[in-house]
Amino acid sequence: MKVPVAKVGVFLKADASESSLSLPSMRKELQELMASAGVQLVWLDSKNNISVDRMVSVELRGDCQFGSGKSGKFKDHSALASTAVQDGKVLPFSWVDCVALDQFVRPALHDESKAERSEIYGRAMARLLAHEFYHVLAQTEAHTSSGISKTAFSVNDLLADHLTFQTEALTALHIEAPVVLLSASFGEEADDISRLEAAEDALAAR
């Protein structure tokens, strides 16, 4: 595991999903995946006052726990997760569509226990977010041939016991200085979070 070279603050917008049994699993898997790339994650809210090198806003859309979404069939064109891009620049605003994710993995988890479903579902969420964090932190829309940063995930990718970044992606994520996104030098984290929200609102209004 790499020595941390960047501390990234994550502002999570989860609404009703805060009660999800899958969130602890999601946080744990995401922490471990990003730590392998030398990135230390710090979970932020308006009460935090922690210095970070980068900040990313994550929106969990829908009720993010297994079985909570509509029982309809997953549509092949549905995006499980994405990140905002403007004028060729990857912005620090990512989201996961929990309804689409539930439809995507539900058939494969039919025989698992409730506890196992929640853990595996959270792990799948983390892998989607790690993929988006790769784009944000490496400032690239490109993909690698395999691993977390490849073009698309299969159900097996999201549910497997292990899925990691390949060497090419780890190199891209090994950032030596805070040169991307928002710096905590703005002041307290509450102010930084307000800046993120304001920027996101402005982007949505375009």
Side-chain angles (χ1 to χ4, degrees):
M1 186 173 295
K2 292 185 176 182
V3 176
V5 295
K7 184 183 291 186
V8 175
V10 182
F11 178 46
L12 185 65
K13 300 168 65 175
D15 299 325
S17 298
E18 284 290 1
S19 61
S20 170
L21 299 175
S22 297
L23 283 186
S25 173
M26 182 271 284
R27 291 175 186 252
K28 179 176 182 293
E29 175 81 357
L30 187 57
Q31 291 272 176
E32 292 177 353
L33 286 171
M34 299 313 299
S36 71
V39 175
Q40 178 184 354
L41 298 183
V42 179
W43 301 96
L44 301 175
D45 58 39
S46 59
K47 299 178 182 179
N48 286 118
N49 185 18
I50 302 171
S51 178
V52 296
D53 301 312
R54 315 282 199 285
M55 292 183 69
V56 184
S57 176
V58 172
E59 180 182 2
L60 301 182
R61 298 179 177 177
D63 194 355
C64 294
Q65 49 190 335
F66 181 83
S68 62
K70 298 179 181 179
S71 59
K73 184 178 180 180
F74 175 76
K75 298 178 181 178
D76 290 339
H77 64 272
S78 298
L80 298 177
S82 188
T83 292
V85 177
Q86 183 178 3
D87 298 328
K89 181 177 178 61
V90 183
L91 302 179
F93 307 115
S94 302
W95 55 263
V96 173
D97 185 336
C98 291
V99 174
L101 176 59
D102 182 63
Q103 293 173 340
F104 189 56
V105 303
R106 186 184 297 189
L109 294 179
H110 183 269
D111 295 329
E112 302 290 345
S113 68
K114 181 178 180 179
E116 289 172 329
R117 289 174 181 174
S118 294
E119 181 176 351
I120 296 171
Y121 182 88
R123 197 164 66 208
M125 291 168 58
R127 291 171 182 178
L128 293 174
L129 285 175
H131 178 99
E132 301 308 324
F133 282 17
Y134 165 76
H135 289 303
V136 172
L137 298 177
Q139 278 294 283
T140 180
E141 296 182 67
H143 295 90
T144 55
S145 60
S146 62
I148 288 290
S149 51
K150 67 179 183 177
T151 304
F153 291 135
S154 67
V155 171
N156 288 337
D157 289 330
L158 293 180
L159 304 187
D161 289 338
H162 300 286
L163 184 67
T164 60
F165 286 107
Q166 70 168 193
T167 302
E168 179 184 349
L170 291 175
T171 300
L173 285 168
H174 193 79
I175 306 167
E176 297 297 339
V179 295
V180 186
L181 310 187
L182 302 177
S183 169
S185 61
F186 290 140
E188 294 188 358
E189 300 307 322
D191 294 333
D192 290 341
I193 290 171
S194 295
R195 290 171 187 265
L196 271 176
E197 291 180 314
E200 190 170 19
D201 290 342
L203 181 65
R206 283 179 171 268

mmCIF file of all heavy atoms in Angstrom, residues 10-11 13 18-19 28-29 61 63 77 82 99 106 111 162 182 185 187 191 193 202 205:
data_model
loop_
_atom_site.group_PDB
_atom_site.id
_atom_site.type_symbol
_atom_site.label_atom_id
_atom_site.label_comp_id
_atom_site.label_asym_id
_atom_site.label_seq_id
_atom_site.Cartn_x
_atom_site.Cartn_y
_atom_site.Cartn_z
ATOM 1 N N VAL A 10 -14.335 14.156 1.234
ATOM 2 C CA VAL A 10 -15.522 13.711 0.507
ATOM 3 C C VAL A 10 -16.764 14.245 1.206
ATOM 4 O O VAL A 10 -17.022 13.933 2.373
ATOM 5 C CB VAL A 10 -15.594 12.169 0.440
ATOM 6 C CG1 VAL A 10 -16.820 11.736 -0.366
ATOM 7 C CG2 VAL A 10 -14.331 11.599 -0.173
ATOM 8 N N PHE A 11 -17.505 15.075 0.496
ATOM 9 C CA PHE A 11 -18.762 15.604 1.007
ATOM 10 C C PHE A 11 -19.881 14.753 0.434
ATOM 11 O O PHE A 11 -20.175 14.807 -0.755
ATOM 12 C CB PHE A 11 -18.921 17.068 0.601
ATOM 13 C CG PHE A 11 -20.219 17.691 1.043
ATOM 14 C CD1 PHE A 11 -20.691 17.510 2.333
ATOM 15 C CD2 PHE A 11 -20.956 18.464 0.163
ATOM 16 C CE1 PHE A 11 -21.883 18.079 2.749
ATOM 17 C CE2 PHE A 11 -22.155 19.042 0.561
ATOM 18 C CZ PHE A 11 -22.623 18.850 1.856
ATOM 19 N N LYS A 13 -23.647 13.534 -0.101
ATOM 20 C CA LYS A 13 -25.044 13.965 -0.085
ATOM 21 C C LYS A 13 -25.888 12.713 -0.259
ATOM 22 O O LYS A 13 -25.997 12.174 -1.360
ATOM 23 C CB LYS A 13 -25.298 14.972 -1.212
ATOM 24 C CG LYS A 13 -24.442 16.216 -1.114
ATOM 25 C CD LYS A 13 -24.494 17.046 -2.374
ATOM 26 C CE LYS A 13 -25.872 17.614 -2.629
ATOM 27 N NZ LYS A 13 -25.884 18.524 -3.814
ATOM 28 N N GLU A 18 -28.769 7.862 4.363
ATOM 29 C CA GLU A 18 -27.919 7.873 5.550
ATOM 30 C C GLU A 18 -28.221 6.686 6.454
ATOM 31 O O GLU A 18 -27.388 6.256 7.235
ATOM 32 C CB GLU A 18 -28.108 9.187 6.323
ATOM 33 C CG GLU A 18 -27.420 10.385 5.693
ATOM 34 C CD GLU A 18 -25.903 10.315 5.796
ATOM 35 O OE1 GLU A 18 -25.372 9.323 6.343
ATOM 36 O OE2 GLU A 18 -25.250 11.248 5.319
ATOM 37 N N SER A 19 -29.444 6.160 6.383
ATOM 38 C CA SER A 19 -29.819 5.026 7.222
ATOM 39 C C SER A 19 -29.501 3.686 6.565
ATOM 40 O O SER A 19 -29.757 2.633 7.127
ATOM 41 C CB SER A 19 -31.323 5.080 7.532
ATOM 42 O OG SER A 19 -32.076 4.999 6.327
ATOM 43 N N LYS A 28 -15.859 1.614 3.798
ATOM 44 C CA LYS A 28 -14.698 0.763 4.061
ATOM 45 C C LYS A 28 -14.005 0.358 2.756
ATOM 46 O O LYS A 28 -12.780 0.480 2.626
ATOM 47 C CB LYS A 28 -15.129 -0.486 4.835
ATOM 48 C CG LYS A 28 -13.998 -1.464 5.159
ATOM 49 C CD LYS A 28 -14.528 -2.619 6.007
ATOM 50 C CE LYS A 28 -13.404 -3.584 6.391
ATOM 51 N NZ LYS A 28 -12.858 -4.304 5.219
ATOM 52 N N GLU A 29 -14.781 -0.104 1.788
ATOM 53 C CA GLU A 29 -14.203 -0.536 0.515
ATOM 54 C C GLU A 29 -13.572 0.633 -0.227
ATOM 55 O O GLU A 29 -12.476 0.512 -0.789
ATOM 56 C CB GLU A 29 -15.297 -1.180 -0.352
ATOM 57 C CG GLU A 29 -14.859 -1.580 -1.754
ATOM 58 C CD GLU A 29 -14.125 -2.900 -1.805
ATOM 59 O OE1 GLU A 29 -13.891 -3.501 -0.728
ATOM 60 O OE2 GLU A 29 -13.779 -3.343 -2.923
ATOM 61 N N ARG A 61 -28.002 9.021 -5.361
ATOM 62 C CA ARG A 61 -29.355 9.273 -5.840
ATOM 63 C C ARG A 61 -30.261 8.077 -5.578
ATOM 64 O O ARG A 61 -29.967 6.966 -6.002
ATOM 65 C CB ARG A 61 -29.333 9.603 -7.329
ATOM 66 C CG ARG A 61 -28.530 10.864 -7.643
ATOM 67 C CD ARG A 61 -28.507 11.159 -9.130
ATOM 68 N NE ARG A 61 -27.802 12.416 -9.405
ATOM 69 C CZ ARG A 61 -27.582 12.901 -10.617
ATOM 70 N NH1 ARG A 61 -28.010 12.232 -11.674
ATOM 71 N NH2 ARG A 61 -26.932 14.046 -10.772
ATOM 72 N N ASP A 63 -32.682 5.672 -2.769
ATOM 73 C CA ASP A 63 -32.451 5.012 -1.489
ATOM 74 C C ASP A 63 -31.392 3.939 -1.691
ATOM 75 O O ASP A 63 -31.657 2.896 -2.282
ATOM 76 C CB ASP A 63 -33.754 4.400 -0.978
ATOM 77 C CG ASP A 63 -33.673 4.010 0.483
ATOM 78 O OD1 ASP A 63 -32.580 4.122 1.070
ATOM 79 O OD2 ASP A 63 -34.694 3.574 1.041
ATOM 80 N N HIS A 77 -28.857 1.159 -21.233
ATOM 81 C CA HIS A 77 -28.330 2.509 -21.431
ATOM 82 C C HIS A 77 -28.252 3.308 -20.132
ATOM 83 O O HIS A 77 -27.791 4.444 -20.125
ATOM 84 C CB HIS A 77 -29.199 3.277 -22.438
ATOM 85 C CG HIS A 77 -30.603 3.512 -21.966
ATOM 86 N ND1 HIS A 77 -31.604 2.603 -22.186
ATOM 87 C CD2 HIS A 77 -31.162 4.536 -21.274
ATOM 88 C CE1 HIS A 77 -32.735 3.071 -21.670
ATOM 89 N NE2 HIS A 77 -32.491 4.244 -21.108
ATOM 90 N N SER A 82 -21.602 8.625 -12.604
ATOM 91 C CA SER A 82 -20.978 9.546 -13.551
ATOM 92 C C SER A 82 -20.367 10.720 -12.790
ATOM 93 O O SER A 82 -20.592 10.892 -11.592
ATOM 94 C CB SER A 82 -22.011 10.056 -14.561
ATOM 95 O OG SER A 82 -21.387 10.799 -15.597
ATOM 96 N N VAL A 99 -30.907 3.371 -7.755
ATOM 97 C CA VAL A 99 -32.013 2.597 -8.318
ATOM 98 C C VAL A 99 -31.502 1.710 -9.447
ATOM 99 O O VAL A 99 -31.798 0.509 -9.513
ATOM 100 C CB VAL A 99 -33.125 3.529 -8.838
ATOM 101 C CG1 VAL A 99 -34.198 2.714 -9.561
ATOM 102 C CG2 VAL A 99 -33.749 4.304 -7.689
ATOM 103 N N ARG A 106 -29.405 -6.940 -8.522
ATOM 104 C CA ARG A 106 -30.407 -7.684 -7.748
ATOM 105 C C ARG A 106 -30.520 -9.148 -8.159
ATOM 106 O O ARG A 106 -30.530 -10.039 -7.269
ATOM 107 C CB ARG A 106 -31.773 -6.998 -7.839
ATOM 108 C CG ARG A 106 -32.816 -7.671 -6.928
ATOM 109 C CD ARG A 106 -34.192 -7.047 -7.086
ATOM 110 N NE ARG A 106 -34.208 -5.649 -6.697
ATOM 111 C CZ ARG A 106 -35.322 -4.940 -6.577
ATOM 112 N NH1 ARG A 106 -36.493 -5.510 -6.831
ATOM 113 N NH2 ARG A 106 -35.275 -3.668 -6.236
ATOM 114 N N ASP A 111 -30.012 -15.077 -3.799
ATOM 115 C CA ASP A 111 -29.869 -16.162 -2.823
ATOM 116 C C ASP A 111 -29.021 -15.796 -1.609
ATOM 117 O O ASP A 111 -28.812 -16.627 -0.721
ATOM 118 C CB ASP A 111 -29.258 -17.392 -3.506
ATOM 119 C CG ASP A 111 -30.175 -17.976 -4.576
ATOM 120 O OD1 ASP A 111 -31.402 -17.872 -4.419
ATOM 121 O OD2 ASP A 111 -29.653 -18.515 -5.569
ATOM 122 N N HIS A 162 -12.724 -9.222 -4.918
ATOM 123 C CA HIS A 162 -11.675 -8.204 -5.072
ATOM 124 C C HIS A 162 -11.719 -7.597 -6.473
ATOM 125 O O HIS A 162 -11.913 -8.289 -7.465
ATOM 126 C CB HIS A 162 -10.286 -8.820 -4.840
ATOM 127 C CG HIS A 162 -10.104 -9.409 -3.479
ATOM 128 N ND1 HIS A 162 -9.944 -8.642 -2.344
ATOM 129 C CD2 HIS A 162 -10.078 -10.699 -3.065
ATOM 130 C CE1 HIS A 162 -9.815 -9.432 -1.291
ATOM 131 N NE2 HIS A 162 -9.903 -10.692 -1.711
ATOM 132 N N LEU A 182 -10.344 21.670 -5.334
ATOM 133 C CA LEU A 182 -10.406 22.777 -4.395
ATOM 134 C C LEU A 182 -9.475 22.554 -3.220
ATOM 135 O O LEU A 182 -9.452 21.492 -2.625
ATOM 136 C CB LEU A 182 -11.846 22.941 -3.883
ATOM 137 C CG LEU A 182 -12.881 23.181 -4.986
ATOM 138 C CD1 LEU A 182 -14.271 23.255 -4.369
ATOM 139 C CD2 LEU A 182 -12.575 24.470 -5.731
ATOM 140 N N SER A 185 -7.040 25.513 1.681
ATOM 141 C CA SER A 185 -6.460 26.788 2.078
ATOM 142 C C SER A 185 -7.496 27.914 2.031
ATOM 143 O O SER A 185 -7.244 29.015 2.489
ATOM 144 C CB SER A 185 -5.283 27.159 1.164
ATOM 145 O OG SER A 185 -5.719 27.292 -0.171
ATOM 146 N N GLY A 187 -10.029 28.083 3.826
ATOM 147 C CA GLY A 187 -10.465 28.353 5.188
ATOM 148 C C GLY A 187 -11.066 27.108 5.784
ATOM 149 O O GLY A 187 -10.657 25.997 5.478
ATOM 150 N N ASP A 191 -16.855 26.415 4.882
ATOM 151 C CA ASP A 191 -16.796 27.351 3.762
ATOM 152 C C ASP A 191 -16.516 26.620 2.464
ATOM 153 O O ASP A 191 -17.071 26.938 1.416
ATOM 154 C CB ASP A 191 -15.704 28.400 4.006
ATOM 155 C CG ASP A 191 -16.041 29.301 5.186
ATOM 156 O OD1 ASP A 191 -17.240 29.477 5.459
ATOM 157 O OD2 ASP A 191 -15.110 29.813 5.814
ATOM 158 N N ILE A 193 -17.253 23.511 1.720
ATOM 159 C CA ILE A 193 -18.437 22.767 1.330
ATOM 160 C C ILE A 193 -19.452 23.701 0.676
ATOM 161 O O ILE A 193 -20.085 23.363 -0.321
ATOM 162 C CB ILE A 193 -19.059 22.051 2.556
ATOM 163 C CG1 ILE A 193 -18.129 20.903 3.000
ATOM 164 C CG2 ILE A 193 -20.445 21.517 2.236
ATOM 165 C CD1 ILE A 193 -18.512 20.276 4.299
ATOM 166 N N ALA A 202 -24.442 26.135 -9.743
ATOM 167 C CA ALA A 202 -24.184 26.934 -10.928
ATOM 168 C C ALA A 202 -24.066 26.042 -12.161
ATOM 169 O O ALA A 202 -24.538 26.380 -13.249
ATOM 170 C CB ALA A 202 -22.910 27.752 -10.752
ATOM 171 N N ALA A 205 -27.433 24.819 -13.308
ATOM 172 C CA ALA A 205 -28.270 25.866 -13.877
ATOM 173 C C ALA A 205 -27.939 26.161 -15.338
ATOM 174 O O ALA A 205 -28.660 26.872 -16.029
ATOM 175 C CB ALA A 205 -28.124 27.144 -13.058
#
